[in-house]
Amino acid sequence: METTTLIPANSLMTATPEEGRQLAIKMARLIIKTTQPDAQIRENLRAVYANDAMLLLAVGHTVAIEFSTIAAANDYWRSPR
Amino acid sequence: METTTLIPANSLMTATPEEGRQLAIKMARLIIKTTQPDAQIRENLRAVYANDAMLLLAVGHTVAIEFSTIAAANDYWRSPR
Amino acid sequence: METTTLIPANSLMTATPEEGRQLAIKMARLIIKTTQPDAQIRENLRAVYANDAMLLLAVGHTVAIEFSTIAAANDYWRSPR
Amino acid sequence: METTTLIPANSLMTATPEEGRQLAIKMARLIIKTTQPDAQIRENLRAVYANDAMLLLAVGHTVAIEFSTIAAANDYWRSPR
Amino acid sequence: METTTLIPANSLMTATPEEGRQLAIKMARLIIKTTQPDAQIRENLRAVYANDAMLLLAVGHTVAIEFSTIAAANDYWRSPR
Amino acid sequence: METTTLIPANSLMTATPEEGRQLAIKMARLIIKTTQPDAQIRENLRAVYANDAMLLLAVGHTVAIEFSTIAAANDYWRSPR
């Protein structure tokens, strides 16, 4: 099985919208991790954006874009699975 | 029933555009909540962005993106239900 | 009839592109109103963003996103009505 | 004929991509005009953003979004007219 | 032949993704040129954004949006030409 | 074979979502490289954005947009290959 570092399970498909949303958060975080591989620095920066209104909104903005792709991939979870 | 923390009712489907818009607001807020779980800090930050023109516009920006996904999921509420 | 506070007439459908554009502006404003319900504060912030180049551009940015959703909903007003 | 203030000719249809791009610029400007109706203030702000790298990029960003809607409306001008 | 100042060759169609990407860069630059017609000022601003991390990222952001439109126009270059 | 500087292999097609995500990162970086060709300056700026929360989020934002295009091009990797 291929090791992935950017998309868990190497798939955009999820069983539910909730899981799609979780995937969007993970995908957004993994880009940050790839760009800044040092865990300690990421931890410090996390403390910064979790306490800054503009940065929190920026997190939400990127997750919204990632989610729009995942939702389209899953045909918006319209059909029963 | 699965407990969800990111999408109420675990569905993008809503009966009306108004409810779709409410869902977009909730989804945007739940990402903030996941990123900053401390209710008191969120309350303080809310006071910040509700009184800052740029931050208010940023809230509107993210809700617009979330809503575009929800609207597509509901086929823009074109058909009568 | 359901009272709506986020989408006038609870519909994305408009007769013309001009009306679609007006709806985009209203929808963007109603998110601001929901986030900051105090009319006096909104009036003060409006004076801020109407006189600041970056904020004016941010208003235009969000309206552009809202409009893209409304335009798709109306199939870009291609067919005669 | 209906007077429009937000979309010239009240249509997203254009004969060519170049005209579509011109429409995108006009639509972006008309939102600014609606938000700030004072021509003198707009003129002053224009001098600001035409000389600031970030603001110029923000203009381009919004035009890109407006254009994506217009291009889709015109089916990307694929078919001969 | 119509003179164009916003889209080279007045078309979104390109033979390859690489050429589509080049077109996205040109279209983004031509909006800047239209907004700030003075070549010397543009040259000065270019020195600013080529040396500022946030501005470089903003350039990439706008090119990404322009490219998404061009890619859709070319059906993602899926079919052989 | 055509030399490309903006899109590796001159194609948006990838075998997996993981590879699509890698392509999105590369495409975003190649726009930066084209805008700022000096490797030493890019290296210095990289140190800036890898240690700044807002800039890291801006990287993630642009990658999300590039990826949405790549994902659509690959029909979200729905079909087996």
Side-chain angles (χ1 to χ4, degrees):
Chain A
M1 196 183 142
E2 191 185 356
T3 305
T4 63
T5 56
L6 296 169
I7 301 188
N10 204 355
S11 171
L12 299 182
M13 301 302 134
T14 71
T16 64
E18 175 81 10
E19 291 177 22
R21 203 79 175 157
Q22 292 167 349
L23 178 57
I25 295 176
K26 283 180 197 156
M27 283 170 59
R29 286 186 182 160
L30 289 169
I31 293 297
I32 305 290
K33 190 175 177 181
T34 300
T35 312
Q36 176 46 271
D38 185 315
Q40 184 58 53
I41 295 178
R42 284 204 310 278
E43 193 61 31
N44 296 348
L45 293 175
R46 192 177 160 76
V48 173
Y49 68 71
N51 291 283
D52 180 295
M54 191 65 192
L55 294 176
L56 270 176
L57 291 170
V59 170
H61 188 158
T62 295
V63 170
I65 296 171
E66 301 284 16
F67 183 71
S68 73
T69 303
I70 294 166
N74 288 279
D75 195 25
Y76 305 101
W77 300 274
R78 279 179 191 136
S79 327
R81 283 162 184 261
Chain B
M1 195 183 142
E2 191 185 356
T3 305
T4 63
T5 57
L6 295 168
I7 301 188
N10 204 355
S11 171
L12 299 181
M13 301 302 135
T14 71
T16 64
E18 176 81 11
E19 291 176 21
R21 203 78 175 157
Q22 291 166 349
L23 178 57
I25 295 176
K26 283 180 196 156
M27 283 170 60
R29 287 185 181 159
L30 289 168
I31 293 297
I32 305 290
K33 190 175 176 181
T34 299
T35 312
Q36 175 47 269
D38 185 315
Q40 184 57 52
I41 296 178
R42 283 203 311 279
E43 192 61 32
N44 297 347
L45 292 175
R46 192 177 160 77
V48 173
Y49 69 70
N51 292 283
D52 179 296
M54 191 64 191
L55 294 176
L56 269 176
L57 291 170
V59 170
H61 189 159
T62 295
V63 170
I65 296 171
E66 301 284 17
F67 182 71
S68 73
T69 303
I70 295 165
N74 287 279
D75 195 24
Y76 305 100
W77 301 274
R78 279 179 190 136
S79 327
R81 284 164 183 261
Chain C
M1 196 184 144
E2 191 186 357
T3 305
T4 63
T5 56
L6 295 168
I7 301 188
N10 204 355
S11 171
L12 298 182
M13 300 303 135
T14 71
T16 64
E18 175 82 11
E19 291 177 21
R21 203 80 175 157
Q22 292 167 349
L23 178 57
I25 294 175
K26 283 180 196 155
M27 284 170 59
R29 286 186 182 160
L30 289 168
I31 293 297
I32 304 290
K33 189 174 176 181
T34 300
T35 312
Q36 175 47 270
D38 186 314
Q40 185 57 51
I41 296 178
R42 283 203 311 278
E43 193 61 32
N44 297 348
L45 292 176
R46 191 178 161 76
V48 173
Y49 69 69
N51 292 283
D52 180 295
M54 190 65 191
L55 294 176
L56 270 176
L57 291 170
V59 169
H61 188 159
T62 295
V63 170
I65 296 171
E66 301 284 16
F67 182 70
S68 72
T69 303
I70 294 165
N74 287 278
D75 196 24
Y76 306 101
W77 300 274
R78 279 179 190 135
S79 327
R81 283 161 183 264
Chain D
M1 195 184 144
E2 190 185 357
T3 306
T4 63
T5 57
L6 294 169
I7 300 188
N10 204 355
S11 171
L12 298 182
M13 300 303 134
T14 71
T16 64
E18 175 82 11
E19 290 177 22
R21 203 79 175 157
Q22 291 167 349
L23 178 57
I25 295 176
K26 282 181 196 155
M27 283 170 60
R29 287 186 182 160
L30 289 169
I31 293 297
I32 304 290
K33 189 174 177 180
T34 300
T35 312
Q36 175 47 271
D38 186 314
Q40 185 57 51
I41 295 177
R42 284 203 311 278
E43 193 61 32
N44 297 347
L45 292 175
R46 191 177 161 76
V48 173
Y49 68 70
N51 292 283
D52 180 294
M54 191 65 192
L55 294 176
L56 270 176
L57 291 170
V59 170
H61 189 159
T62 296
V63 170
I65 296 171
E66 301 285 16
F67 182 70
S68 73
T69 303
I70 295 165
N74 287 278
D75 196 25
Y76 305 100
W77 300 274
R78 280 180 190 133
S79 328
R81 282 161 184 264
Chain E
M1 195 183 144
E2 190 185 356
T3 305
T4 62
T5 56
L6 295 169
I7 301 188
N10 204 355
S11 171
L12 299 182
M13 301 302 135
T14 71
T16 63
E18 175 82 10
E19 291 177 22
R21 203 79 175 157
Q22 291 167 349
L23 178 57
I25 295 176
K26 282 180 197 157
M27 284 171 59
R29 287 186 181 159
L30 289 169
I31 293 297
I32 304 291
K33 189 174 177 180
T34 300
T35 312
Q36 175 48 270
D38 186 315
Q40 185 58 52
I41 296 178
R42 284 203 312 277
E43 193 60 33
N44 297 347
L45 293 175
R46 190 177 161 77
V48 173
Y49 68 70
N51 293 282
D52 180 294
M54 190 65 192
L55 294 176
L56 269 176
L57 291 170
V59 170
H61 188 159
T62 296
V63 170
I65 296 171
E66 301 285 16
F67 182 70
S68 73
T69 303
I70 295 165
N74 287 279
D75 196 24
Y76 305 101
W77 299 276
R78 279 178 190 137
S79 327
R81 282 161 184 264
Chain F
M1 195 183 143
E2 191 185 356
T3 305
T4 63
T5 57
L6 295 169
I7 301 188
N10 205 355
S11 171
L12 298 182
M13 300 302 135
T14 71
T16 63
E18 175 82 10
E19 290 177 22
R21 203 81 175 156
Q22 291 167 349
L23 178 57
I25 295 176
K26 282 180 196 157
M27 283 170 59
R29 285 187 182 159
L30 289 169
I31 292 297
I32 305 291
K33 189 174 177 181
T34 299
T35 313
Q36 176 46 273
D38 185 315
Q40 184 58 53
I41 296 178
R42 284 204 311 277
E43 193 61 31
N44 297 347
L45 293 176
R46 191 177 161 75
V48 173
Y49 69 70
N51 292 283
D52 180 294
M54 191 63 192
L55 294 176
L56 270 176
L57 291 170
V59 170
H61 188 159
T62 295
V63 170
I65 297 171
E66 301 284 16
F67 183 70
S68 74
T69 303
I70 294 165
N74 287 279
D75 195 25
Y76 305 101
W77 300 275
R78 279 179 191 137
S79 326
R81 284 161 183 263

